[in-house]
Amino acid sequence: MYIYDKFDQTVVRERVAAFRDQVARRLAGELDEDHFRPLRLMNGLYLQLHAYMLRVAIPYGTLSSAQLRRLAYIARRYDRGYGHFTTRQNIQYNWIKLEQAPDILSDLADVQMHGIQTSGNCIRNVTADHFSGVAGDEIDDPRVTSEIIRQWSTFHPEFSFLPRKFKVAVTGAAQDRAAIKYHDIGIQIVRGPNDEMGYAIYAGGGMGRTPVVAPLIRAFLPQAELLSYLEAILRVYNRYGRRDNIFKARIKILVRDIGAAEFTRQVEEEWRQIRETGVNLPAAEEARIRRFFAPPPYDSVTEPVAALTQARAANPGFARWVETNVHTHKVPGYAIVTISLKPPGGIPGDATAEQMEAIADLADRYSFAEIRVSHVQNLVLPNVKQADLFAIWQALGKIGFADANSGMIGDIIACPGLDYCALANARSIPISQAISERFADPTRSAEIGPLQIKISGCINACGHHHAGHIGILGVDRAGEELYQLTLGGAADQTAEIGQLIGPGFTAPDAVDAIERIVDTYLKLRQPGEEFLAAYRRIGVAPFKEAAYARG
Amino acid sequence: MPRDEIEPSVISAGRRAGRVAVGGKIASANRLRDGVVVYLDAAGGWTPDVDKARVETSPEGEQELKAALDAGMRANLVLDTAVIDIRAPESNGSSRGNAPARLREQIRAVGPTVRPDLARRQPL
């Protein structure tokens, strides 16, 4: 993974020193909140319901074991012993004291981490496929592109005060695991007509109150010209984005209002003017960055792993976990492991300091000291030998993270909701707990098959409800929490916005309605047909009827 | 998404008290140095215990609460201030202390409903 050079380290250290001075001035009364607020937000420090919340950037979801241990230390030393992994591959701490925030940032800087680009109207922390570099279906490692974008975008003077926040996601495979079409810019690594490497560029996607699936604005961009093209997009947005209305300030509104064709024309026109004079990365610098992502020293494994076959046969629980949580690795004899942070009845994405440390130990022992954070709020061990899978599963069982539910009905995305978030209209976590408990039986979960439930506690959609096969949106109606259901959303390469099926339910009724929707699917599906495929074939009618049919 | 990057919703988080009868108003804020939820008390100080909050029932009293919140902000002691509703006592006269009317404020007073081990007090 990328290791800071002296420039990166200096930038982060200087930022800590500046923030320490700003906090001291705020506490001494020399800065009022109006002036201090943007300064703390530039370091990821928000004020939430119960305390300050610190959001720490995990660029493209890649962590070393040393970094994860430091995140555990911060949870224990400065917070209440846990952290929350988010849908943007970051981690949040919920109980931060302002007077301790500079010390936390200093402790993070020790391990090359910070809270920069986790707030404000800048280019946010770039996200990527959590299987980057190891996926069997990958054209190229998106971490290289992501790191180039990170270095280009950090403190970019022209793009530090955009009309609104700006999110970029990168995938290196046709199978989109990074939800790129729901981002301001989505980048897919593709091969061109002569098999050369390049990018397909999507722009103007997003969730929130106005969900939009991003249109393709360029089918092939030569790899070397990435930064000048991104700069052209940002310039058009910076020039014409709506600064007068916060609800219309995202790039998705600009693209929608002028149309994808006209937006593309303007970007291409801007690009024509700057592609020779603008910033493009020299090949030598690209090669320097790429070296950081060289594959680790894999062993050569040529024989089928007999121990794995035997363990699966002897242990049905382990066999189920291999089915759902173990993924194809590009190197024979190796595997990718998803560690589900979704035990039935648990809080999606939460991990204690002890759990984080145990996972860091597993990464050291079995996965070349590397961990990934997925936008589905799980952790990933990207490089494990198939022969070690049983030992890893047993170790995960000791910390409560051995559930076989990755991609299944219990693998729910949920935002913090009204339990923590100052913007929320309703709680998200309790309803996710009720659903995961309702479908906790692993046999029943396996029978249902892949099914993504995503829950947001307000229209801002941090819980990605628009993209859920079953989406849940919490609303407030005259002081009562109600939950609206959407069906048919998808976040992958077939991205689609879920359809609202009707009036909201109370929390218990919503769980019952979801169970009736699932039962309807089981009744109507064709052999081997997954929930989303069945929904797309059948349409909303029988599911809607089932949802509102009360016993 | 935190309020600091606000994209406010048409549907607000219970800005009204719903069908709950309002019994008075109290002054709420977060403490500057550590962000802890605090309430103005009868002595003019800041308490994390909602039951010790100063309760006002008149328009003049509400203005005094607002003035105290503004003074606390100017003194750099608190931020994110608001005057909030509390429930009226039950019809039989019983009261469980100062119970904020809105769920959001109840959660601020008690702590996350999903982490009772971290609760500041018994649920209201």
Side-chain angles (χ1 to χ4, degrees), chain A residues 49 418 422-424, chain B residues 3 13 102-109:
Chain A
L49 284 189
L418 193 55
L423 270 189
Chain B
R3 160 186 40 194
R102 289 168 51 195
L103 175 62
R104 178 185 194 277
E105 295 301 332
Q106 290 173 29
I107 291 172
R108 284 183 78 236

Side-chain angles (χ1 to χ4, degrees), chain A residues 51 83 253 279 289 318 334 346 353 361 365 452 516 535:
Chain A
I253 304 297
V279 177
I289 291 173
F318 174 63
Y334 281 80
D361 290 347
R365 185 162 179 192
Q452 297 172 9
R516 289 192 295 271
Y535 174 84

Side-chain angles (χ1 to χ4, degrees), chain A residues 26 46 52 165 209 419 421, chain B residues 1 5 7-8 32 76 113:
Chain A
R26 175 71 182 112
Y46 295 76
Y52 293 96
K165 58 185 169 184
R209 63 175 53 242
D419 278 299
C421 178
Chain B
M1 171 193 282
E5 46 183 280
E7 191 176 345
L32 173 67
N76 296 301
T113 62

